[in-house]
Structure formats: structure tokens, C-alpha cells
Amino acid sequence: MNNLLEVKNLNTSFKIGVGTVQAVRGISFHVGEGESVGIVGESGSGKSVTMLSVMGLLPDYADIRADSILFAGREMTQMTPKQLRAMHGSEIGMIFQDPMTSLNPLFNVENQLTEPLRIHMKMGKTEARQRALELLKQVEIPNPEARLKQYPHELSGGLRQRVMIAIAIACGPKMVIADEPTTALDVTIQSQILELLEHLKNTTKTSIIMITHDLGVIASMCSRIIVMYGGIICEEGSAREIFYEPKHPYTWGLLNSIPKINGNPDEKLIPINGTPPDMLMPPKGCPFAPRCRYCMPVCREYMAPRTQLGETHAVACHLMHPKAPKVEREV
Ligand code: SF4
């Protein structure tokens, strides 16, 4: 599989009144053509900032540095804001968490759905309208003729998210980034939206990056998972490796906090105690050290190197050192 996106040594920081927030600290990753990758981590782990950095969608006070961001063979770090804007919608589509704040309340569905078609695909009014109808059918919105005339406030949360997905795929992008696409929805609608995204992935062969704090959301959808914590990648691997052979204590914590369908209803979920690190002053060593029950003195002093365990599986944890104590995940 060829790489569609290849990011090398990305660092993103924000200068604010009291100092500099180091949101993303030297991460590298790739996404293959037609591949679905999940980026998982709690709030403040740097997962959304990573993709907004790649897209050039952060405010001016963000400082984005990378050795390279290659998309479809083109170097995005060399692109002008205008060139980057031209890629949004046409080659990279985005689905945000809350469609109510992403859709423009002043325009109806037809206006918002036909705009990218007219700008990027140079379609005329009639052709764009026809394509908008097809897109609404593709995202399984009933009675699409009537829906075209409606405004965002007239649609339910699930329908609004379907419209967002239709806008994201309107121009046939090579990659779609979905940032917590189901967090604002109830569980039934959440499952329908995930099924829809999976169907689109299988039928259009678009690469999908799914950003979420919930490992359960991407279990069936993503073939590879990147786990982020404190602005770094602490573990990455195939879905099987992350779910069945996780090696990083933070990944263990994430897995232990997911309810199991066939589990004992009286069984308590195990939370990850403590709070995420202050990224104004990130720890010198492993960012998970203050919350990690296996923390060793070396963890507080030095960031763990990345250990490659297999072709796709890599972990940044001092427990991977041959002389480290052997510990097992507690389930
Ligand atoms: Fe825990 Fe140390 Fe591994 Fe960090 S490097 S996760 S503190 S054992």
C-alpha cells in the first residue's frame, strides 16, 4: 500500500500570555491509500491539533514546524495558505464533532452542499444541485428534495452530521478526517453514523483518519491505531495489536475503561487516575509518569525511545528495555 500522507517530526506550539503550550512534540506517522487509521487519546493529548496542523487550519499564533508533510507526493509545508485552502474540500474533507457549529445557520442545505461543488469542481447550478441530491441519498437522508431546502436548525443532530459527511465527500476527496464525529450524538445515532462511515470507506476507497477519545468507536472501523498522550505517540499498531497485545500502560488504561458487551454488569470500569500533564510545562521524561503505576526513576528523567516490536507495532515506554521489570497488563 502506498502512503497517501506522510508526516515527519511534527511540532506544534501555541504562544499564550503565560507561556508556550507544547501541544504536539515531534511526532511522525503515515496513512496509506484507502487505509483507515484511528488517532486515540484524551482531551489535550494533541490528536486534533495534529490534524489541524497538517491541514493548516490553526490560528496565526500557532507555531507549526515539521521536517516534512507529504500528501499525495506533494510537500504541504511549502504550500501557500491559498494552495492549502484549495486542498480543503477538494482533496481532504473534514467532519467535525458538532455539526451545528460547523454548518452555517444562515444558509440552507442546498447552498452549503453545492458551494464546494461549484468552487472546486466548477459545476453549474443545475449539475451541482443534481449532485447534491445524489450525495444526500448516498448518506441515506430520506426525502432529499425536501431536505435541500431546510436550514441546519430544522434538522436533527444525526441528520446534520449526515449533511456534514455529504459535504466532506462531495468532491471525492482522497482523504477524510473525522474529528470526534459521533461525540455529540446519542448511542443509536452514533452507531448509524459509524456504519455510514464504514460503508463509505468500503465503497469509495477514501482514506479515513478517525480522531476520538473512545477506543470502542474505532474498534470495527480502523485497521491501524495511533495512541497519543501528552503530545507524543505512545503506541501504534494494527487494531489487533492494540486490542489484543497492547504494551503501553496508557493503552492498558484506555482498554480497561471500555465497558464490555458480554462483561459482568456489576463489574466496575477502571478509571485512569490523575490528570493529563500541563502542556505549558510538559514533564521532562515520560508524560504519563505521574499517572503510571509502573513508573521507574528513569521514566521521570528521560523520554522513552520508540521500540519497534514488529512491522506495524511500536511503543514508547521504558518497560520495553530488556533490563526493565517484566509487568503484565491487569485486566
Ligand atoms: Fe510508565 Fe515509565 Fe512506561 Fe511511562 S515510560 S508508561 S512512566 S513505565
Side-chain angles (χ1 to χ4, degrees):
M1 185 193 303
N2 294 329
N3 283 344
L4 177 64
L5 174 69
E6 218 174 320
V7 177
K8 288 194 183 137
N9 194 23
L10 173 69
N11 291 273
T12 304
S13 56
F14 300 90
K15 280 200 172 45
I16 56 172
V18 287
T20 302
V21 176
Q22 297 168 45
V24 177
R25 302 185 291 156
I27 69 165
S28 302
F29 64 96
H30 67 275
V31 178
E33 286 173 359
E35 190 182 26
S36 52
V37 175
I39 304 184
V40 189
E42 57 196 52
S43 299
S45 60
K47 54 192 191 310
S48 295
V49 172
T50 295
M51 293 321 300
L52 291 172
S53 304
V54 167
M55 299 275 290
L57 283 176
L58 288 171
D60 290 344
Y61 61 90
D63 183 13
I64 306 167
R65 291 163 198 253
D67 290 350
S68 169
I69 302 176
L70 269 185
F71 181 79
R74 279 167 298 153
E75 184 54 72
M76 291 177 81
T77 55
Q78 310 287 325
M79 288 185 186
T80 61
K82 193 178 169 197
Q83 287 172 317
L84 278 175
R85 268 199 308 278
M87 286 179 82
H88 304 159
S90 62
E91 295 190 62
I92 306 176
M94 279 213 74
I95 303 164
F96 293 99
Q97 181 180 132
D98 183 359
M100 196 56 199
T101 51
S102 309
L103 293 170
N104 191 327
L106 300 177
F107 293 99
N108 67 15
V109 172
E110 180 171 345
N111 290 139
Q112 301 191 55
L113 199 42
T114 54
E115 188 189 12
L117 296 168
R118 300 189 70 174
I119 292 175
H120 297 299
M121 316 266 300
K122 310 286 178 231
M123 286 185 184
K125 198 174 172 192
T126 314
E127 191 186 5
R129 189 175 189 281
Q130 196 50 42
R131 173 78 181 127
L133 281 171
E134 284 166 19
L135 284 161
L136 290 186
K137 282 183 201 150
Q138 200 176 343
V139 296
E140 295 161 16
I141 290 185
N143 199 2
E145 284 275 357
R147 297 295 182 191
L148 275 185
K149 306 255 170 298
Q150 290 186 306
Y151 288 79
H153 72 272
E154 297 176 283
L155 305 173
S156 66
L159 282 179
R160 282 198 291 265
Q161 197 54 297
R162 284 174 194 270
V163 170
M164 273 302 295
I165 295 172
I167 293 171
I169 61 168
C171 302
K174 296 186 175 84
M175 183 167 85
V176 168
I177 300 171
D179 189 354
E180 304 271 12
T182 58
T183 304
L185 306 172
D186 65 52
V187 280
T188 318
I189 308 297
Q190 179 174 323
S191 140
Q192 290 171 6
I193 295 293
L194 288 174
E195 268 174 36
L196 174 63
L197 284 171
E198 193 160 2
H199 176 70
L200 290 173
K201 180 197 81 176
N202 295 335
T203 50
T204 61
K205 304 291 175 218
T206 307
S207 300
I208 293 185
I209 299 182
M210 184 84 127
I211 300 170
T212 179
H213 64 277
D214 183 352
L215 261 175
V217 161
I218 50 173
S220 63
M221 238 199 99
C222 297
S223 52
R224 208 153 51 76
I225 296 172
I226 294 171
V227 184
M228 285 191 74
Y229 187 83
I232 64 162
I233 293 176
C234 56
E235 181 161 10
E236 68 176 291
S238 67
R240 192 189 56 77
E241 286 160 344
I242 296 296
F243 282 99
Y244 295 106
E245 298 161 22
K247 294 287 186 256
H248 196 284
Y250 177 60
T251 315
W252 294 346
L254 284 179
L255 288 165
N256 286 344
S257 56
I258 303 177
K260 291 162 197 69
I261 285 179
N262 300 322
N264 176 355
D266 297 327
E267 190 181 301
K268 289 203 172 120
L269 297 177
I270 308 167
I272 305 173
N273 290 325
T275 50
D278 178 359
M279 300 311 285
L280 269 168
M281 284 178 295
K284 186 157 74 160
C286 170
F288 193 54
R291 304 170 79 181
C292 180
R293 59 185 302 181
Y294 310 103
C295 180
M296 302 168 281
V298 65
C299 305
R300 297 192 188 275
E301 290 299 316
Y302 302 99
M303 191 87 89
R306 179 185 164 101
T307 305
Q308 199 71 38
L309 302 173
E311 203 183 325
T312 49
H313 199 182
V315 187
C317 175
H318 286 297
L319 288 174
M320 296 301 111
H321 192 279
K323 290 188 180 160
K326 299 285 165 257
V327 298
E328 293 289 328
R329 174 187 166 201
E330 286 177 29
V331 184

